[in-house]
Amino acid sequence: TGSTQEAADLIAEEFGDDVASSPIEIDEIQGSVAAEFSKYDALVVGTPTWNTGADVERSGTGWDEIYYGEMADLNIAGKKVAVFGLGDSVSYSENYADASGELYDVFESLGCSMLGATSTDGYLHEASKAIRGDKFCGLLLDEVNQEELTGERVKNWVAALIGEGLLSGAGTAAPAVSVQSPAPVPQNIETEVSVVEPVAVTQAEEQEEGFLGHYNSLTDKTWWVGNNGRSSFVTNGPPEMHSTLTKTNTRISP
């Protein structure tokens, strides 16, 4: 969306032309997400929240169409990923930037190394599904009520990501949509925005005690998302192995 695109531009600018690519829309790589993601050492991904109050598929964008489809079989374990999102913390104070939490959970369930958690201090929200522990799962921005804070928040977040090691590790020379790090060994960063076209693939789902299971055949793991949208966890094997599923399984979010 427009505000998400503008935020992506600011993030790329803060990294610098010698580090970050120009933001690209995911619909430009639909059907080849796995091949494109494999080119980069790190991803910075963003989303708005349009399906306010939804338990899953909260963004109202094409992300929703590939979360449990094309992305389900991605082999990107270990890839560094940071999430940013936008929302209205006053008009939707109980569901502030909820879609960012789902974006985070999907990448975390694929075994990615998640970076960029931020403090909830200074925001106007009452609740958010993007909170993990006592922090936001990434950078959250409010262009409606706190636009004047966006620049500083972006600057501080990018500095924190660099400090967390987003740019460390070996990489390959950057193609048109990736970039090189100023470090001696080239690095690649891809800044994504949340306009995605649907791609249909196989999905296994099972309802178990208030949770919906999404099976990843590549990793042989099932990601369970609670009906309330506030809890999720991962189990080994397909959903049908867990007819007596309980919340004692490994949790991946509060």
Side-chain angles (χ1 to χ4, degrees), residues 11 14-15 152-167:
I11 292 167
E14 187 62 34
F15 273 114
E152 181 180 1
R153 285 172 172 170
V154 167
K155 181 177 181 178
N156 291 340
W157 190 58
V158 169
L161 288 176
I162 294 173
E164 290 178 37
L166 185 73
L167 305 184

Side-chain angles (χ1 to χ4, degrees), residues 75-99:
N75 184 14
I76 57 174
K79 189 179 296 293
K80 297 173 182 178
V81 176
V83 170
F84 69 96
L86 287 86
D88 182 339
S89 64
V90 174
S91 298
Y92 302 97
S93 62
E94 295 184 356
N95 299 99
Y96 176 52
D98 280 355

Side-chain angles (χ1 to χ4, degrees), residues 72-188:
D73 293 323
L74 291 182
N75 184 14
I76 57 174
K79 189 179 296 293
K80 297 173 182 178
V81 176
V83 170
F84 69 96
L86 287 86
D88 182 339
S89 64
V90 174
S91 298
Y92 302 97
S93 62
E94 295 184 356
N95 299 99
Y96 176 52
D98 280 355
S100 305
E102 186 174 18
L103 183 60
Y104 177 95
D105 288 343
V106 169
F107 278 98
E108 186 184 46
S109 73
L110 294 171
C112 296
S113 176
M114 307 304 296
L115 306 177
T118 60
S119 172
T120 60
D121 293 344
Y123 288 81
L124 306 175
H125 70 293
E126 295 181 13
S128 173
K129 293 174 184 174
I131 295 176
R132 299 294 177 269
D134 60 354
K135 292 186 176 183
F136 289 132
C137 63
L139 172 65
L140 299 193
L141 302 172
D142 185 345
E143 291 295 279
V144 178
N145 306 288
Q146 296 184 316
E147 182 180 7
E148 73 281 1
L149 299 178
T150 293
E152 181 180 1
R153 285 172 172 170
V154 167
K155 181 177 181 178
N156 291 340
W157 190 58
V158 169
L161 288 176
I162 294 173
E164 290 178 37
L166 185 73
L167 305 184
S168 64
T172 58
V177 294
S178 69
V179 297
Q180 289 185 320
S181 167
V185 180
Q187 310 298 324
N188 301 309

Side-chain angles (χ1 to χ4, degrees), residues 29 32-43 74-77 79 107 170-173 175 177-178 188 190 192:
I29 57 172
S32 60
V33 171
E36 290 297 323
F37 279 9
S38 68
K39 297 177 182 179
Y40 311 118
D41 298 319
L43 302 172
L74 291 182
N75 184 14
I76 57 174
K79 189 179 296 293
F107 278 98
T172 58
V177 294
S178 69
N188 301 309
E190 180 188 4
E192 299 288 350

